Structure formats: structure tokens, C-alpha cells
Amino acid sequence: AQSVTQLGSHVSVSEGALVLLRCNYSSSVPPYLFWYVQYPNQGLQLLLKYTSAATLVKGINGFEAEFKKSETSFHLTKPSAHMSDAAEYFCAVTEGWAGTALIFGKGTTLSVSS
Amino acid sequence: NAGVTQTPKFQVLKTGQSMTLQCAQDMNHNSMYWYRQDPGMGLRLIYYSASEGTTDKGEVPNGYNVSRLNKREFSLRLESAAPSQTSVYFCASSISRGSVPEAFFGQGTRLTVV
């Protein structure tokens, strides 16, 4: 069965600092992996997705994530945090074939201070 | 292009009342999902429908029923609401573009059961 673990429910950084949000997954087959962002009182927006085409994936707003099969990880990074990055971030996994659902981690709230 | 539309956006129910949350997508997607979001729990899958005419239970199906009315619409029904069902409910839909099942989300329904 597929599952996702996000390490750290809350991460705080200073503006301009590196952002690192951790995600580990479990899947019996090569997975599809996603990072979504949720701003307060809004729905979820796709940041980036891993499709096996490349292990380093670039997304919107300067975020990127690296797929490491040996570590079963898909950590999200951004070199320099902005105040506008403050939000909740969700990692998700699916095995992708018809009939499988998208499974989410519990989320990490990112706070950015000036 | 509206994407995924959920109605209503807010609802207050008394314990024991019933209601149906509506979801419609106009992207010709095959799969549709219902999630609930609770603080610290991430998004938990209630039910999903891989295609028109099929539905499957997710992680937390108890107390809910669903109907895939047609390809566009996927409704979630609470037959006898309980305070434990106070949550934010999200509907999502997805299709494989190539082979990537990217999901799109509605704006959510905030439900309070008193």
C-alpha cells in the first residue's frame, strides 16, 4: 500500500533562508509524486510533480524537488524564502494506474519571518 | 473554464440532519475524489471514483455515501451528521495526461455540525 510521511508539521525560516520540507514515501511500484501548496482558506494548488522523466523536478514559484529512490524521498526545496511562501505544503503519492487514489501526507506549515 | 466546482461553500448542520455536498468538473476527467481536511491530519480520502459508474472506499468512509451521477458530477452525502464530521471537504478530479494523474481541487466546503 502506498503512503506518505512528512517530517515536521511546522517549519520556520527567515526571509532569504533555504526552505527544506521533507517527504518520504512508500509504494510497491514506481510512484508518481506531487507537492501541493495551500494558502489560507483556499484549495490546493499543484507546485510540482515527479513523473520519472527526471529526478530533479522544477516547479512554480522557485521550488524544486529531488526524487531519490534509494532513500524513498522527495524533499521540497527553495534557495531563498519569501514572505509569500508562508502556507501549508502537502506531499502526495499515487501508483497511477486506473483505480488508485492520490494519498496525502499530513502537511507541513511553513512560516517565514522577516 | 470553471475547473472543479463545489457547493455549498459553507454549511452548518444540527446533529442528525442530512445533506449532500455537490461537486462538478468540466475538464472531462475520469477520476473524482472526496477528501476531508482536519488540523494535523492532512487530507484523508473518503471515497473515490475511478470512472463513471464505479466508486471505492477510501481511508475514512464511515458515515458517508457517494454517487457518481455522470462523468461530470460526484456527490457526497451525510445521512445523519455527527459533530465528528465537522471538517473542510474537498472534491478533486484527475486524468492521466500521458501517464501523470495530476489532480485538480475545488475550493472546499466548510461544514460545521453542532
Side-chain angles (χ1 to χ4, degrees):
Chain A
Q2 50 192 0
S3 66
V4 172
T5 302
Q6 290 184 240
L7 301 176
S9 59
H10 199 136
V11 171
S12 297
V13 300
S14 299
E15 195 171 23
L18 172 71
V19 175
L20 171 60
L21 305 183
R22 300 177 187 273
C23 172
N24 289 89
Y25 70 91
S26 173
S27 178
S28 58
V29 300
Y32 297 101
L33 294 158
F34 306 84
W35 276 99
Y36 284 84
V37 61
Q38 184 182 34
Y39 299 102
N41 298 316
Q42 294 189 24
L44 278 74
Q45 178 184 3
L46 182 68
L47 266 182
L48 49 80
K49 57 193 174 190
Y50 168 71
T51 66
S52 77
T55 56
L56 183 62
V57 181
K58 295 187 183 299
I60 62 172
N61 301 338
F63 284 93
E64 62 182 36
E66 185 172 9
F67 173 73
K68 292 187 177 180
K69 183 179 178 180
S70 61
E71 300 177 7
T72 61
S73 69
F74 190 56
H75 302 331
L76 182 69
T77 61
K78 182 174 181 178
S80 177
H82 295 164
M83 297 292 286
S84 60
D85 295 327
E88 189 160 21
Y89 293 80
F90 293 95
C91 183
V93 65
T94 181
E95 293 174 353
W97 50 273
T100 59
L102 189 61
I103 303 300
F104 284 84
K106 293 186 177 182
T108 298
T109 299
L110 175 65
S111 299
V112 183
S113 58
S114 57
Chain B
N1 196 344
V4 179
T5 302
Q6 291 183 233
T7 55
K9 288 186 171 50
F10 301 93
Q11 184 70 49
V12 179
L13 289 179
K14 294 182 179 180
T15 298
Q17 286 185 318
S18 62
M19 80 161 295
T20 299
L21 280 64
Q22 307 287 353
C23 176
Q25 53 92 6
D26 61 3
M27 296 174 283
N28 201 34
H29 286 174
N30 296 319
S31 300
M32 298 186 73
Y33 312 86
W34 277 105
Y35 294 89
R36 60 176 290 173
Q37 183 179 22
D38 303 288
M41 301 298 290
L43 277 81
R44 292 182 293 170
L45 184 65
I46 304 172
Y47 272 93
Y48 65 103
S49 171
S51 62
E52 185 178 354
T54 68
T55 60
D56 287 283
K57 295 179 180 179
E59 181 185 355
V60 289
N62 291 344
Y64 305 95
N65 286 300
V66 290
S67 295
R68 183 75 183 266
L69 304 170
N70 48 54
K71 192 172 186 178
R72 291 187 63 247
E73 299 172 289
F74 189 39
S75 62
L76 178 72
R77 183 162 177 82
L78 287 70
E79 291 291 352
S80 179
S84 60
Q85 295 178 305
T86 292
S87 187
V88 181
Y89 292 85
F90 286 99
C91 177
S93 69
S94 71
I95 191 172
S96 295
R97 291 179 175 171
S99 58
V100 180
E102 178 178 339
F104 295 81
F105 284 80
Q107 290 299 299
T109 296
R110 190 173 297 273
L111 176 67
T112 302
V113 183
V114 297

PDB file of all heavy atoms in Angstrom, chain A residues 37-52:
ATOM      1  N   VAL A  37       0.464  23.090  -2.609  1.00  0.00           N
ATOM      2  CA  VAL A  37       0.502  24.174  -1.637  1.00  0.00           C
ATOM      3  C   VAL A  37      -0.924  24.648  -1.384  1.00  0.00           C
ATOM      4  O   VAL A  37      -1.763  24.660  -2.305  1.00  0.00           O
ATOM      5  CB  VAL A  37       1.390  25.345  -2.113  1.00  0.00           C
ATOM      6  CG1 VAL A  37       0.878  25.942  -3.412  1.00  0.00           C
ATOM      7  CG2 VAL A  37       1.485  26.439  -1.038  1.00  0.00           C
ATOM      8  N   GLN A  38      -1.184  24.994  -0.121  1.00  0.00           N
ATOM      9  CA  GLN A  38      -2.497  25.518   0.250  1.00  0.00           C
ATOM     10  C   GLN A  38      -2.318  26.813   1.023  1.00  0.00           C
ATOM     11  O   GLN A  38      -1.749  26.816   2.117  1.00  0.00           O
ATOM     12  CB  GLN A  38      -3.262  24.498   1.093  1.00  0.00           C
ATOM     13  CG  GLN A  38      -4.674  24.950   1.437  1.00  0.00           C
ATOM     14  CD  GLN A  38      -5.408  23.953   2.313  1.00  0.00           C
ATOM     15  OE1 GLN A  38      -4.809  23.298   3.156  1.00  0.00           O
ATOM     16  NE2 GLN A  38      -6.703  23.818   2.105  1.00  0.00           N
ATOM     17  N   TYR A  39      -2.817  27.889   0.469  1.00  0.00           N
ATOM     18  CA  TYR A  39      -2.840  29.163   1.167  1.00  0.00           C
ATOM     19  C   TYR A  39      -4.102  29.229   2.023  1.00  0.00           C
ATOM     20  O   TYR A  39      -5.082  28.523   1.748  1.00  0.00           O
ATOM     21  CB  TYR A  39      -2.761  30.324   0.176  1.00  0.00           C
ATOM     22  CG  TYR A  39      -1.487  30.288  -0.631  1.00  0.00           C
ATOM     23  CD1 TYR A  39      -1.478  29.814  -1.942  1.00  0.00           C
ATOM     24  CD2 TYR A  39      -0.274  30.693  -0.075  1.00  0.00           C
ATOM     25  CE1 TYR A  39      -0.304  29.761  -2.678  1.00  0.00           C
ATOM     26  CE2 TYR A  39       0.903  30.634  -0.793  1.00  0.00           C
ATOM     27  CZ  TYR A  39       0.876  30.157  -2.094  1.00  0.00           C
ATOM     28  OH  TYR A  39       2.049  30.092  -2.809  1.00  0.00           O
ATOM     29  N   PRO A  40      -4.115  30.047   3.058  1.00  0.00           N
ATOM     30  CA  PRO A  40      -5.258  30.077   3.988  1.00  0.00           C
ATOM     31  C   PRO A  40      -6.599  30.220   3.291  1.00  0.00           C
ATOM     32  O   PRO A  40      -6.763  31.063   2.402  1.00  0.00           O
ATOM     33  CB  PRO A  40      -4.940  31.280   4.868  1.00  0.00           C
ATOM     34  CG  PRO A  40      -3.450  31.364   4.867  1.00  0.00           C
ATOM     35  CD  PRO A  40      -3.034  30.958   3.478  1.00  0.00           C
ATOM     36  N   ASN A  41      -7.513  29.355   3.693  1.00  0.00           N
ATOM     37  CA  ASN A  41      -8.898  29.383   3.210  1.00  0.00           C
ATOM     38  C   ASN A  41      -9.014  29.187   1.700  1.00  0.00           C
ATOM     39  O   ASN A  41      -9.952  29.692   1.075  1.00  0.00           O
ATOM     40  CB  ASN A  41      -9.573  30.698   3.623  1.00  0.00           C
ATOM     41  CG  ASN A  41      -9.635  30.851   5.123  1.00  0.00           C
ATOM     42  OD1 ASN A  41      -9.971  29.910   5.838  1.00  0.00           O
ATOM     43  ND2 ASN A  41      -9.265  32.022   5.608  1.00  0.00           N
ATOM     44  N   GLN A  42      -8.056  28.473   1.133  1.00  0.00           N
ATOM     45  CA  GLN A  42      -8.110  28.176  -0.288  1.00  0.00           C
ATOM     46  C   GLN A  42      -7.986  26.681  -0.534  1.00  0.00           C
ATOM     47  O   GLN A  42      -7.714  25.909   0.390  1.00  0.00           O
ATOM     48  CB  GLN A  42      -7.003  28.936  -1.027  1.00  0.00           C
ATOM     49  CG  GLN A  42      -7.175  30.444  -1.003  1.00  0.00           C
ATOM     50  CD  GLN A  42      -6.196  31.131  -1.924  1.00  0.00           C
ATOM     51  OE1 GLN A  42      -5.693  30.547  -2.888  1.00  0.00           O
ATOM     52  NE2 GLN A  42      -5.912  32.394  -1.641  1.00  0.00           N
ATOM     53  N   GLY A  43      -8.177  26.291  -1.783  1.00  0.00           N
ATOM     54  CA  GLY A  43      -7.977  24.909  -2.177  1.00  0.00           C
ATOM     55  C   GLY A  43      -6.504  24.617  -2.389  1.00  0.00           C
ATOM     56  O   GLY A  43      -5.637  25.422  -2.047  1.00  0.00           O
ATOM     57  N   LEU A  44      -6.202  23.469  -2.936  1.00  0.00           N
ATOM     58  CA  LEU A  44      -4.814  23.053  -3.148  1.00  0.00           C
ATOM     59  C   LEU A  44      -4.372  23.360  -4.571  1.00  0.00           C
ATOM     60  O   LEU A  44      -5.124  23.148  -5.526  1.00  0.00           O
ATOM     61  CB  LEU A  44      -4.648  21.562  -2.880  1.00  0.00           C
ATOM     62  CG  LEU A  44      -4.478  21.158  -1.429  1.00  0.00           C
ATOM     63  CD1 LEU A  44      -5.798  21.252  -0.675  1.00  0.00           C
ATOM     64  CD2 LEU A  44      -3.901  19.752  -1.327  1.00  0.00           C
ATOM     65  N   GLN A  45      -3.138  23.807  -4.673  1.00  0.00           N
ATOM     66  CA  GLN A  45      -2.551  24.159  -5.967  1.00  0.00           C
ATOM     67  C   GLN A  45      -1.307  23.313  -6.189  1.00  0.00           C
ATOM     68  O   GLN A  45      -0.483  23.174  -5.288  1.00  0.00           O
ATOM     69  CB  GLN A  45      -2.192  25.647  -5.964  1.00  0.00           C
ATOM     70  CG  GLN A  45      -1.524  26.149  -7.229  1.00  0.00           C
ATOM     71  CD  GLN A  45      -1.117  27.604  -7.112  1.00  0.00           C
ATOM     72  OE1 GLN A  45      -1.276  28.238  -6.075  1.00  0.00           O
ATOM     73  NE2 GLN A  45      -0.584  28.143  -8.183  1.00  0.00           N
ATOM     74  N   LEU A  46      -1.167  22.763  -7.379  1.00  0.00           N
ATOM     75  CA  LEU A  46      -0.013  21.925  -7.674  1.00  0.00           C
ATOM     76  C   LEU A  46       1.251  22.771  -7.777  1.00  0.00           C
ATOM     77  O   LEU A  46       1.307  23.749  -8.512  1.00  0.00           O
ATOM     78  CB  LEU A  46      -0.230  21.181  -8.991  1.00  0.00           C
ATOM     79  CG  LEU A  46       0.887  20.228  -9.409  1.00  0.00           C
ATOM     80  CD1 LEU A  46       0.943  19.028  -8.457  1.00  0.00           C
ATOM     81  CD2 LEU A  46       0.683  19.757 -10.843  1.00  0.00           C
ATOM     82  N   LEU A  47       2.290  22.371  -7.018  1.00  0.00           N
ATOM     83  CA  LEU A  47       3.601  23.027  -7.099  1.00  0.00           C
ATOM     84  C   LEU A  47       4.478  22.354  -8.143  1.00  0.00           C
ATOM     85  O   LEU A  47       5.112  23.020  -8.962  1.00  0.00           O
ATOM     86  CB  LEU A  47       4.314  22.924  -5.749  1.00  0.00           C
ATOM     87  CG  LEU A  47       4.188  24.054  -4.744  1.00  0.00           C
ATOM     88  CD1 LEU A  47       5.031  23.715  -3.513  1.00  0.00           C
ATOM     89  CD2 LEU A  47       4.628  25.379  -5.336  1.00  0.00           C
ATOM     90  N   LEU A  48       4.552  21.020  -8.046  1.00  0.00           N
ATOM     91  CA  LEU A  48       5.383  20.265  -8.975  1.00  0.00           C
ATOM     92  C   LEU A  48       5.018  18.784  -8.900  1.00  0.00           C
ATOM     93  O   LEU A  48       4.322  18.355  -7.986  1.00  0.00           O
ATOM     94  CB  LEU A  48       6.872  20.465  -8.684  1.00  0.00           C
ATOM     95  CG  LEU A  48       7.380  20.300  -7.258  1.00  0.00           C
ATOM     96  CD1 LEU A  48       7.562  18.839  -6.891  1.00  0.00           C
ATOM     97  CD2 LEU A  48       8.680  21.056  -7.054  1.00  0.00           C
ATOM     98  N   LYS A  49       5.528  18.029  -9.896  1.00  0.00           N
ATOM     99  CA  LYS A  49       5.196  16.610  -9.957  1.00  0.00           C
ATOM    100  C   LYS A  49       6.388  15.820 -10.489  1.00  0.00           C
ATOM    101  O   LYS A  49       7.150  16.299 -11.339  1.00  0.00           O
ATOM    102  CB  LYS A  49       3.988  16.386 -10.857  1.00  0.00           C
ATOM    103  CG  LYS A  49       4.165  16.905 -12.272  1.00  0.00           C
ATOM    104  CD  LYS A  49       2.832  16.945 -13.012  1.00  0.00           C
ATOM    105  CE  LYS A  49       3.019  17.608 -14.375  1.00  0.00           C
ATOM    106  NZ  LYS A  49       1.702  17.877 -15.031  1.00  0.00           N
ATOM    107  N   TYR A  50       6.549  14.619  -9.972  1.00  0.00           N
ATOM    108  CA  TYR A  50       7.586  13.700 -10.438  1.00  0.00           C
ATOM    109  C   TYR A  50       6.937  12.637 -11.308  1.00  0.00           C
ATOM    110  O   TYR A  50       5.984  11.971 -10.886  1.00  0.00           O
ATOM    111  CB  TYR A  50       8.289  13.029  -9.261  1.00  0.00           C
ATOM    112  CG  TYR A  50       9.149  11.874  -9.693  1.00  0.00           C
ATOM    113  CD1 TYR A  50      10.337  12.090 -10.392  1.00  0.00           C
ATOM    114  CD2 TYR A  50       8.755  10.562  -9.461  1.00  0.00           C
ATOM    115  CE1 TYR A  50      11.109  11.024 -10.816  1.00  0.00           C
ATOM    116  CE2 TYR A  50       9.521   9.498  -9.881  1.00  0.00           C
ATOM    117  CZ  TYR A  50      10.694   9.735 -10.563  1.00  0.00           C
ATOM    118  OH  TYR A  50      11.456   8.679 -10.984  1.00  0.00           O
ATOM    119  N   THR A  51       7.505  12.483 -12.517  1.00  0.00           N
ATOM    120  CA  THR A  51       6.891  11.549 -13.458  1.00  0.00           C
ATOM    121  C   THR A  51       7.877  10.517 -13.975  1.00  0.00           C
ATOM    122  O   THR A  51       7.569   9.807 -14.918  1.00  0.00           O
ATOM    123  CB  THR A  51       6.347  12.327 -14.667  1.00  0.00           C
ATOM    124  OG1 THR A  51       7.462  12.904 -15.373  1.00  0.00           O
ATOM    125  CG2 THR A  51       5.414  13.431 -14.235  1.00  0.00           C
ATOM    126  N   SER A  52       9.053  10.445 -13.412  1.00  0.00           N
ATOM    127  CA  SER A  52      10.143   9.544 -13.792  1.00  0.00           C
ATOM    128  C   SER A  52      10.956  10.055 -14.980  1.00  0.00           C
ATOM    129  O   SER A  52      11.932   9.435 -15.364  1.00  0.00           O
ATOM    130  CB  SER A  52       9.661   8.111 -14.082  1.00  0.00           C
ATOM    131  OG  SER A  52       9.052   8.039 -15.358  1.00  0.00           O
TER     132      SER A  52
END
